[in-house]
Amino acid sequence: MKKVVASTCAAAMAALALSACTPAELTDEGTSGAAGMSGESDSQGITYSLWDPNQKPAYEKCAADFTEKTGIKVTIDQKGWDDYWQNLSVAISSGTAPDVITNHVAHYPELASKGALEDLKPYIDKAQIDMSQYTGDLASLWDYDGKTFGIPQDWDTIALVYNAKDVEDAGIDPESLKDLDWNPQDGGSFGKLIAHLTIDENGVRGDEADFDKTKVATYGWGLESGGGVVGQGPWSWLALSNGFQYLDKNPFGTQYQMNDPKLIEALTWWQKQIEAGYVTPLEQAGNLGLEPMMEQNKAALIPDGSWRINTWANSEAGDFKFAPLPKGPEGRKTIINGIAPSIMASSTHKDQAFQWVQYLTSEDCQSVIAKEAVVFPSITSQSEAAAKAHEANGVDVSAYIDITKDPSSLSYYPITFKADEINSEADTVIEQIERGSVDPAEALPKLNDTINGILADQ
C-alpha cells in the first residue's frame, strides 16, 4: 500500500475531473471480472476497488465467503496507486464509479466535501458497530462535519528494515538494534550505526579514516525519494521523535507547522548524513527504488512501512529483518495510518454496499486477512493474530506492532484539504533539501507559508 500522495494529475481529485489526464493514460490491468474501474454493477452485485495487488487474493477470499453468506456478488477491481486515483476521478465524472472504494485519508476530505461519498454514520448507528474495537484512534480519522466516511480496515506503522548479513559483517549484535537512540546533535547510536554500515569501494567504513564518500559501495541508510509534506517513511519518525507536530490540530487543522525548529533540526541532521555519504544520494535513490536498492546491497538499512513486510520477508535476494525505530528526545514515534472502505454517493446499491463494508471491517473478514498476513487488520485482536501468523512463518514483526501498544508513540497521518497541491509543493522543497541545494532553516519556513496559503484558499 503506497502511502505517498501522487503528484500526477494532482488537481484532478480536488476538482473531481480529469481535464489534465486523458483516458489513453489509463489501463485496466488487474481487473477481476468484467466491470473494471467503471464500477457499473448489476442488480445482483456490487463493485469494490483497491490498489494493492498483494491484498487482492485475500480480499477475493473474503468476497467469496460474503457472497456465500449473503448472495451478493462482489466484483473486485485492482489498479496501481496512480492509476487508481486517476481512474476514480474519471469514473466519478462519468457517473460510473464503483459502489465501494478503498479510501485514503489524504484523499477522502476532497471527495467528502464534493458530495462524492455516502455518510456511513446512519448505517453504523443502525448496525450498532463498536467503533472502539479498532486500533488506536483510527476510527476518528474518518469523521468530518458530523458525518463518517469510512470504517477502519487496516493500519500501518514504520520500522527499520536491515540486511542481516551487513549487520553481521559489521560486527553488530542484532539485539542492539532494538534499543537505538537518536538526537539532532550527534545522531546518537543510530547515527553511529549508519556510518559504520556504510562501506566504500575500498572496503573502508564510514566511521574509519580514509573513507571515500564519492565511491560508496553500500550506504548505511537507503533513501526513499518523495514523501511530500508527510515524509512517512523517509523522515517523519525523526522529526516526530524530536517533538515536531505537522498541524495545529489533526484531523482538519488550519495551519501546518513546517517552520517548527524541531523539524528544521531533524531535516538539517538528515541532510548532513546525505552530504557525509552515509545516505543514498537522491540521483541513485530515484533511479533504484527501495527494493532494488536493498536487494542489490546498495543500502544496508531503510525505514519502511508494514504494508511491505512480505516484500522483505519473502525476498530471495537477501535475508532482511526488522528492528524498531530509534528513540528520539521525545521517545520512539511513528505515523500510524490506515485505509477504510467508503461507499460512493452515486451507488444504486447502498444497502448491499454497506453489508460489504460491514463485512470487510468485521472479525469474519479480518480473521481471513490476519491468516494471510498481508496487512495488520484494524481490529486489535486480529492484528495480533496477523503477527502470530508472521511468527509462524519465521518472521518477527514486533517492531511494527509493539509500538501501537503505547498511544504516546503514535502520530496520526495529517489530514487536510488540498493534500495533492500541498504535497506537490512539499516534494519540490524536500528534494532540494535532499540534494543539499537549500538550507532547511530557510526553505522550510518558506514552504510553510506557501502550503498554509494553499490551505487557507478554500
Side-chain angles (χ1 to χ4, degrees):
M1 177 171 38
K2 186 177 180 183
K3 300 299 178 185
V4 179
V5 178
S7 60
T8 306
C9 301
M13 289 304 302
L16 297 184
L18 265 183
S19 59
C21 302
T22 64
E25 295 172 304
L26 311 178
T27 67
D28 289 325
E29 293 180 4
T31 299
S32 173
M37 195 62 163
S38 69
E40 294 182 273
S41 52
D42 57 31
S43 59
Q44 297 180 341
I46 59 171
T47 50
Y48 170 58
S49 61
L50 53 79
W51 59 76
D52 187 353
N54 296 319
Q55 295 184 40
K56 183 182 175 185
Y59 283 110
E60 286 177 332
K61 290 184 177 181
C62 284
D65 182 59
F66 175 76
T67 300
E68 183 177 346
K69 290 178 176 178
T70 66
I72 302 170
K73 180 182 177 182
V74 178
T75 299
I76 298 180
D77 173 67
Q78 178 271 318
K79 285 182 174 61
W81 175 266
D82 289 346
D83 285 345
Y84 180 90
W85 296 107
Q86 293 173 22
N87 285 23
L88 179 60
S89 295
V90 169
I92 290 172
S93 297
S94 63
T96 58
D99 296 288
V100 180
I101 65 168
T102 303
N103 215 341
H104 190 279
V105 292
H107 283 293
Y108 99 80
E110 298 292 344
L111 290 168
S113 67
K114 301 296 182 181
L117 303 180
E118 182 75 5
D119 178 15
L120 301 184
K121 194 173 189 308
Y123 296 91
I124 293 170
D125 291 345
K126 183 177 180 180
Q128 298 183 327
I129 296 175
D130 178 12
M131 300 299 278
S132 69
Q133 67 184 309
Y134 303 111
T135 300
D137 292 327
L138 289 174
S140 66
L141 300 182
W142 298 92
D143 293 339
Y144 166 65
D145 197 26
K147 300 177 181 180
T148 300
F149 295 102
I151 302 176
Q153 184 171 342
D154 68 24
W155 58 259
D156 55 73
T157 53
I158 305 297
L160 302 179
V161 181
Y162 67 91
N163 186 314
K165 185 177 186 303
D166 286 343
V167 169
E168 179 183 355
D169 290 349
I172 298 169
D173 180 0
E175 286 296 308
S176 69
L177 302 184
K178 296 180 179 180
D179 198 31
L180 294 170
D181 59 58
W182 172 82
N183 67 74
Q185 285 75 46
D186 62 18
S189 59
F190 177 71
K192 292 177 181 177
L193 173 69
I194 62 170
H196 191 62
L197 287 174
T198 303
I199 308 177
D200 69 17
E201 294 175 0
N202 296 316
V204 179
R205 294 190 176 274
D207 55 0
E208 297 176 334
D210 300 324
F211 168 69
D212 187 349
K213 70 176 185 179
T214 67
K215 297 180 179 179
V216 176
T218 301
Y219 292 90
W221 178 357
L223 175 68
E224 179 184 6
S225 59
V229 76
V230 181
Q232 187 173 7
W235 54 263
S236 65
W237 44 280
L238 282 178
L240 293 168
S241 71
N242 199 38
F244 167 67
Q245 293 296 325
Y246 292 96
L247 296 162
D248 54 352
K249 66 175 182 176
N250 193 37
F252 300 106
T254 59
Q255 291 284 313
Y256 267 96
Q257 302 176 141
M258 303 299 284
N259 59 349
D260 187 338
K262 297 299 184 180
L263 174 63
I264 293 170
E265 283 182 342
L267 295 197
T268 298
W269 181 83
W270 183 50
Q271 185 184 65
K272 289 179 180 178
Q273 307 318 296
I274 299 173
E275 292 172 349
Y278 305 148
V279 183
T280 317
L282 182 64
E283 294 77 8
Q284 291 189 36
N287 291 332
L288 282 171
L290 288 185
E291 189 173 349
M293 194 185 307
M294 291 290 283
E295 292 192 334
Q296 296 175 27
N297 204 213
K298 301 296 184 182
L301 172 152
I302 58 165
D304 200 15
S306 56
W307 59 91
R308 283 165 55 85
I309 286 174
N310 287 336
T311 296
W312 305 114
N314 298 331
S315 175
E316 297 180 357
D319 182 13
F320 301 113
K321 298 185 181 300
F322 309 105
L325 294 167
K327 297 176 183 177
E330 299 296 323
R332 183 176 287 124
K333 306 283 185 179
T334 181
I335 285 183
I336 182 170
N337 189 33
I339 61 174
S342 294
I343 297 175
M344 301 305 294
S346 59
S347 172
T348 57
H349 304 84
K350 291 187 177 70
D351 288 341
Q352 295 94 327
F354 183 74
Q355 288 184 59
W356 172 240
V357 167
Q358 184 176 1
Y359 180 81
L360 281 173
T361 55
S362 72
E363 296 268 1
D364 286 347
C365 178
Q366 296 212 350
S367 62
V368 173
I369 304 305
K371 290 177 183 177
E372 295 293 311
V374 287
V375 291
F376 288 111
S378 56
I379 296 176
T380 302
S381 60
Q382 293 305 324
S383 60
E384 294 284 353
K388 290 180 181 178
H390 281 295
E391 185 179 353
N393 292 328
V395 182
D396 179 5
V397 298
S398 59
Y400 288 105
I401 196 168
D402 285 356
I403 198 168
T404 66
K405 299 171 184 177
D406 179 5
S408 67
S409 294
L410 304 179
S411 180
Y412 292 86
Y413 199 100
I415 300 174
T416 68
F417 292 97
K418 300 197 172 181
D420 286 337
E421 294 175 65
I422 289 169
N423 276 289
S424 180
E425 294 289 342
D427 267 333
T428 299
V429 174
I430 297 300
E431 179 178 319
Q432 291 171 341
I433 291 173
E434 292 168 344
R435 293 184 185 278
S437 60
V438 297
D439 181 350
E442 295 179 0
L444 289 172
K446 292 178 182 177
L447 172 63
N448 197 58
D449 290 342
T450 300
I451 62 178
N452 281 332
I454 293 171
L455 198 54
D457 185 23
Q458 295 187 43

